[in-house]
């Protein structure tokens, strides 16, 4: 609120004893400390006592100063002394001859505040103090700040120009002193200074982002100044990507090294956090190998989480966090290793040009003499140690570099049994068993055997060679008997039973082999003249040793014509019986698996 004296002056300034003397000036002039202000003033006075060439002089006095003995604060009269504390700061810039009494105040000080009046001198008559038209100077604290103009986009390596401007009310005010300060100035900035603004040229760096830059304006030698500070916003590509991990929901995050490698156990909780330093904020994404798992939107958060509530073996691999904005991109990778005990254990069997997979407890039939390759495979981390065992004994690996391989080049009887593969690492173990059942290669079966007696072609050949001598002897005997037919028989009848041997006939034309003749003999009635089915004592071979088989053959020959000296025989006794026994040592072991037969097997051979 203005003081009462000032109010009285403001209300009565326009009144004067002589209305021909008038002064137009603002009632109140406000200025901030250290700044300058222009006080516009117009004066009117009568044309008495002066001509156009008469000089006019004006004076500005602070209220309370005697115009005759006191010093003015400003005047245009060169030989008139002014007050020392306003010298050089207060200046009468208007020409009273042109009715202009304007005043310029530079570097306003708090002590400058007060009431001021104007005095005009021109000729002998115009000697007037305009006491009714005064103005009041109000000096306030300096609050005005300069303005800094920064380009919208600052990029590293691109030179830019920044301008600091202080707005003046009057152009004739003296230019202040401009100065710059800030971390970005270390990049060899060029500072240009003009009367009312300052220009700074610099080349931003990524580290200049978010740093302060200040423009300072000094107005007086008393240290009155003002300044404005801006924060630089330097756009740059992602320069730092950090991956942090947490293996518990409540645990703190742990930053990973540049070459990050992390081991976790199956079933654990895992949190992966990616953070990137870039401007503008980069778009973040998580990828496992080549598969994108999650991403953030543009200009979103500067971090991106990836949560694995229950880690599985399939979660292992290289995780890559990618940060990208319009200026570039950067990646950071984390190799995740999931540790777990052996699982999914199985055996791959290669035989007979094919490969099959077998689970635990499988029975595998194979042929004797066949080759077999067993490969034990499992899934585990760290890799499990593999070993093979058979019959309670650990087997040496076929390939020391790959202990999961077991090769059996030629299957033998003794290979039968349970083969066990064991997989073990630091987290646990697992085993799988495979039972090997050895079968034997069967020979071609003769159509003459019906009771499961299997003889090879070679054995059959040996059999016939062994019987040749017996058969020939029997045929000769029959031939002798045929030469003396009985009286009841006629030559025609003799020709009927006599074997017709031709060149094309072979021994097979005369032999009919009936398997298991012993069974037939048991069903047949024995007569007194017939020999019993068990072979005579002289026909038995020595007791067969282990793995030997004894075969008995009963040879029947059809009777020929009897001689007159031969005793008549029964009708039922139409055949003669001959016996032969053969032993086959060293039979194959598979025959020992069949039920033991302590008796003898018989084959019946009939001669026609």
């Amino acid at each position: 609120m203005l003081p009462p004296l000032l109010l009285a002056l403001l209300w009565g300034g326009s009144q004067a004893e002589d209305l021909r003397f008038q002064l137009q000036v603002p009632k109140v002039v406000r200025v901030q400390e250290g700044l300058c202000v222009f006080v516009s003033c117009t004066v009117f006075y009568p044309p008495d006592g002066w001509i156009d060439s008469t000089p006019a002089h004006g004076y500005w006095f602070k209220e309370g100063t005697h115009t005759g003995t006191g010093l003015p604060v400003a005047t245009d009269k060169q030989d008139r002394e002014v007050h020392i504390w306003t010298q050089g700061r207060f200046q009468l810039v208007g020409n009273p001859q042109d009715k202009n009494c304007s005043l310029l105040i530079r570097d306003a000080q708090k002590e400058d505040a007060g009431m001021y009046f104007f005095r005009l001198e021109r000729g002998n008559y115009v000697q007037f103090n305009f006491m009714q038209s005064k103005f009041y100077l109000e000096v306030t604290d300096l609050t005005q700040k300069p303005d800094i103009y920064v380009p919208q986009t600052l990029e590293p390596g691109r030179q830019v120009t920044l301008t600091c401007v202080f707005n003046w009310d009057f152009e004739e005010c003296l230019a202040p002193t401009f100065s710059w300060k800030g971390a970005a100035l270390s990049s060899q900035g060029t500072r240009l200074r003009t009367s009312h603004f300052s220009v700074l040229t610099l080349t931003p760096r990524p580290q200049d982002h978010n740093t302060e830059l200040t423009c300072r304006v000094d107005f007086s030698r008393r240290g009155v100044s003002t300044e404005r500070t801006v924060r630089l916003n330097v756009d740059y590509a992602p320069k730092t990507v950090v991956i942090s991990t947490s293996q518990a929901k409540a645990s703190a995050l742990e930053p990973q090294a540049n070459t990050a490698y992390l081991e976790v156990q199956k079933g654990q909780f895992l949190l992966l956090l990616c953070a990137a330093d870039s401007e503008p904020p980069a778009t973040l994404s998580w990828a496992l190998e080549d598969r994108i798992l999650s991403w953030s939107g543009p200009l979103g958060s500067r971090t991106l989480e990836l949560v694995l509530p229950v880690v599985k073996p399939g979660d292992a691999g290289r995780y890559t966090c990618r940060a990208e904005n319009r200026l570039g991109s950067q990646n950071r990778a984390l190799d995740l290793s999931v540790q777990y005990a052996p699982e999914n254990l199985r055996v791959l069997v290669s035989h007979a040009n094919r490969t099959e997979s077998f689970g635990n407890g499988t029975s595998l039939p194979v042929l004797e003499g066949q080759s077999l390759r067993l490969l034990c495979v499992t899934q585990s981390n760290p890799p499990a140690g593999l070993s093979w065992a058979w019959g309670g004994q650990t087997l040496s690996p076929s390939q020391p570099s790959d202990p999961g391989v077991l090769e059996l080049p030629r299957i033998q009887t003794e290979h039968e049994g349970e083969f066990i593969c064991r997989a073990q690492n630091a987290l646990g173990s697992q085993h799988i068993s495979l039972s090997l059942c050895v079968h034997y290669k069967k020979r071609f079966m003769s159509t003459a055997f019906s009771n499961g007696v299997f003889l090879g072609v070679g054995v059959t050949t040996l059999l016939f060679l062994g019987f040749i001598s017996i058969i020939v002897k029997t045929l000769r005997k029959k031939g002798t008997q045929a030469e003396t037919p009985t009286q009841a028989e006629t030559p025609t009848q003799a020709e009927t039973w006599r074997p017709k041997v031709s060149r094309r006939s072979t021994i097979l034309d005369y032999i009919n082999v009936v398997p298991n003749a012993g069974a037939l003999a048991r069903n047949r009635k024995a007569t007194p003249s017939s020999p019993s089915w068990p072979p005579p004592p002289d026909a038995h071979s020595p007791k067969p040793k282990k793995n030997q088989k004894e075969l008995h053959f009963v040879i029947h020959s059809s009777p020929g014509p009897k001689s007159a000296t031969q005793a008549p025989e029964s009708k039922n006794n139409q055949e003669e019986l001959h016996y032969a026994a053969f032993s086959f040592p060293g039979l194959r072991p598979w025959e020992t698996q069949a039920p033991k037969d302590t008796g003898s097997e018989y084959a019946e051979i009939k001669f026609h």
Side-chain angles (χ1 to χ4, degrees), residues 167-478:
N167 294 320
W168 300 97
D169 292 333
F170 183 57
E171 293 182 358
E172 294 186 5
C173 291
L174 296 177
T177 301
F178 288 87
S179 61
W180 296 85
K181 63 179 180 179
L185 296 181
S186 59
S187 58
Q188 302 297 325
T190 302
R191 285 167 283 181
L192 301 178
R193 177 177 175 177
T194 64
S195 57
H196 299 98
F197 61 91
S198 177
V199 176
L200 175 67
T201 303
L202 60 84
T203 303
R205 302 164 300 178
Q207 58 266 33
D208 294 333
H209 175 70
N210 209 31
T211 61
E212 293 182 346
L213 181 66
T214 301
C215 175
R216 179 185 176 92
V217 183
D218 292 299
F219 298 97
S220 71
R221 291 168 292 180
R222 295 187 178 187
V224 178
S225 64
T226 183
E227 64 183 27
R228 183 178 293 276
T229 300
V230 295
R231 193 170 294 276
L232 297 180
N233 186 24
V234 181
D235 291 352
Y236 55 94
K239 62 178 181 179
T240 304
V241 178
V242 178
I243 294 178
S244 302
T245 63
S246 175
Q247 299 185 32
K249 294 183 179 180
S251 64
L253 291 167
E254 298 181 3
Q256 300 297 311
N258 291 338
T259 55
Y261 176 79
L262 182 64
E263 290 185 355
V264 297
Q265 290 192 11
K266 176 183 175 182
Q268 273 189 315
F269 169 87
L270 181 62
L271 168 65
L272 304 179
L273 178 68
C274 176
D277 179 15
S278 64
E279 188 62 36
T283 299
L284 302 176
S285 63
W286 274 110
L288 174 56
E289 304 301 343
D290 297 330
R291 179 166 53 96
I292 302 297
L293 303 178
S294 64
W295 62 88
S296 66
L299 303 179
S301 174
R302 295 180 183 269
T303 61
L304 179 62
E305 290 184 352
L306 180 64
V307 179
L308 304 177
V310 180
V311 177
K312 305 180 293 297
D315 295 330
R318 170 158 290 191
Y319 287 80
T320 302
C321 176
R322 179 180 177 86
E324 183 176 8
N325 64 9
R326 62 182 181 84
L327 298 176
S329 64
Q330 192 176 41
N331 299 335
R332 180 71 66 201
L334 170 68
D335 291 323
L336 180 64
S337 175
V338 180
Q339 309 285 301
Y340 59 99
E343 58 185 35
N344 298 329
L345 185 62
R346 63 192 186 279
V347 174
L348 299 179
V349 180
S350 298
H351 66 109
N353 295 326
R354 68 179 185 273
T355 301
E356 299 177 87
S357 178
F358 292 86
N360 191 29
T362 306
S363 178
L364 176 63
V366 294
L367 294 176
E368 179 197 26
Q370 188 179 19
S371 63
L372 201 62
R373 187 176 188 267
L374 307 180
L375 175 60
C376 186
V377 294
T378 185
Q379 297 174 344
S380 66
N381 192 23
L386 300 174
S387 62
W388 280 98
W390 175 71
Q393 296 181 351
T394 301
L395 302 176
S396 298
S398 304
Q399 303 177 12
S401 60
D402 191 355
V405 175
L406 179 62
E407 293 184 348
L408 303 175
R410 185 176 181 83
I411 298 297
Q412 302 295 333
T413 307
E414 57 270 17
H415 291 154
E416 280 194 334
E418 186 179 44
F419 288 80
I420 298 177
C421 175
R422 180 175 298 276
Q424 183 172 6
N425 64 9
L427 300 177
S429 64
Q430 194 178 33
H431 72 275
I432 185 172
S433 64
L434 184 68
S435 296
L436 205 62
C437 182
V438 181
H439 293 272
Y440 301 91
K441 294 181 179 179
K442 293 175 176 59
R443 306 300 194 264
F444 295 103
M445 293 184 296
S446 173
T447 56
F449 291 88
S450 63
N451 199 29
V453 179
F454 300 96
L455 295 177
V457 175
V459 175
T460 305
T461 303
L462 292 175
L463 176 63
F464 288 133
L465 292 177
F467 280 111
I468 287 177
S469 60
I470 299 175
I471 296 171
V472 171
K473 180 179 179 180
T474 304
L475 292 176
R476 287 177 178 177
K477 182 178 179 181
K478 296 295 183 178

Side-chain angles (χ1 to χ4, degrees), residues 528-549:
S529 60
S530 302
S532 61
W533 281 108
D538 57 348
H540 283 292
S541 62
K543 185 179 181 180
K545 296 180 182 180
K546 186 179 181 180
N547 293 334
Q548 290 185 349
K549 194 71 176 179

Side-chain angles (χ1 to χ4, degrees), residues 56-266:
H57 297 287
Y59 306 86
W60 280 100
F61 290 93
K62 193 171 186 179
E63 186 181 46
T65 304
H66 191 277
T67 59
T69 60
L71 297 177
V73 296
T75 182
D76 61 346
K77 191 173 182 180
Q78 299 297 327
D79 58 352
R80 182 71 183 266
E81 186 179 1
V82 297
H83 204 287
I84 191 171
W85 58 271
T86 61
Q87 187 176 8
R89 298 190 302 114
F90 282 60
Q91 180 182 1
L92 179 59
V93 294
N95 186 358
Q97 287 184 326
D98 299 332
K99 302 179 181 181
N100 189 342
C101 54
S102 298
L103 176 67
L104 178 63
I105 301 174
R106 300 184 181 95
D107 190 14
Q109 305 295 326
K110 291 290 184 71
E111 295 84 355
D112 297 334
M115 193 72 70
Y116 292 85
F117 66 93
F118 183 71
R119 176 179 173 80
L120 178 64
E121 296 178 352
R122 189 173 188 180
N124 296 327
Y125 180 76
V126 179
Q127 302 285 325
F128 193 83
N129 296 329
F130 294 86
M131 299 300 295
Q132 290 80 17
S133 301
K134 304 175 184 177
F135 77 91
Y136 182 80
L137 179 63
E138 182 180 355
V139 181
T140 62
D141 293 334
L142 179 59
T143 59
Q144 183 178 345
K145 296 180 180 297
D147 294 320
I148 301 178
Y149 295 93
V150 182
Q152 184 176 4
T153 302
L154 297 180
E155 296 182 8
R158 290 185 60 183
Q159 190 179 74
V160 293
T161 299
L162 289 77
T163 305
C164 181
V165 178
F166 193 87
N167 294 320
W168 300 97
D169 292 333
F170 183 57
E171 293 182 358
E172 294 186 5
C173 291
L174 296 177
T177 301
F178 288 87
S179 61
W180 296 85
K181 63 179 180 179
L185 296 181
S186 59
S187 58
Q188 302 297 325
T190 302
R191 285 167 283 181
L192 301 178
R193 177 177 175 177
T194 64
S195 57
H196 299 98
F197 61 91
S198 177
V199 176
L200 175 67
T201 303
L202 60 84
T203 303
R205 302 164 300 178
Q207 58 266 33
D208 294 333
H209 175 70
N210 209 31
T211 61
E212 293 182 346
L213 181 66
T214 301
C215 175
R216 179 185 176 92
V217 183
D218 292 299
F219 298 97
S220 71
R221 291 168 292 180
R222 295 187 178 187
V224 178
S225 64
T226 183
E227 64 183 27
R228 183 178 293 276
T229 300
V230 295
R231 193 170 294 276
L232 297 180
N233 186 24
V234 181
D235 291 352
Y236 55 94
K239 62 178 181 179
T240 304
V241 178
V242 178
I243 294 178
S244 302
T245 63
S246 175
Q247 299 185 32
K249 294 183 179 180
S251 64
L253 291 167
E254 298 181 3
Q256 300 297 311
N258 291 338
T259 55
Y261 176 79
L262 182 64
E263 290 185 355
V264 297
Q265 290 192 11
K266 176 183 175 182

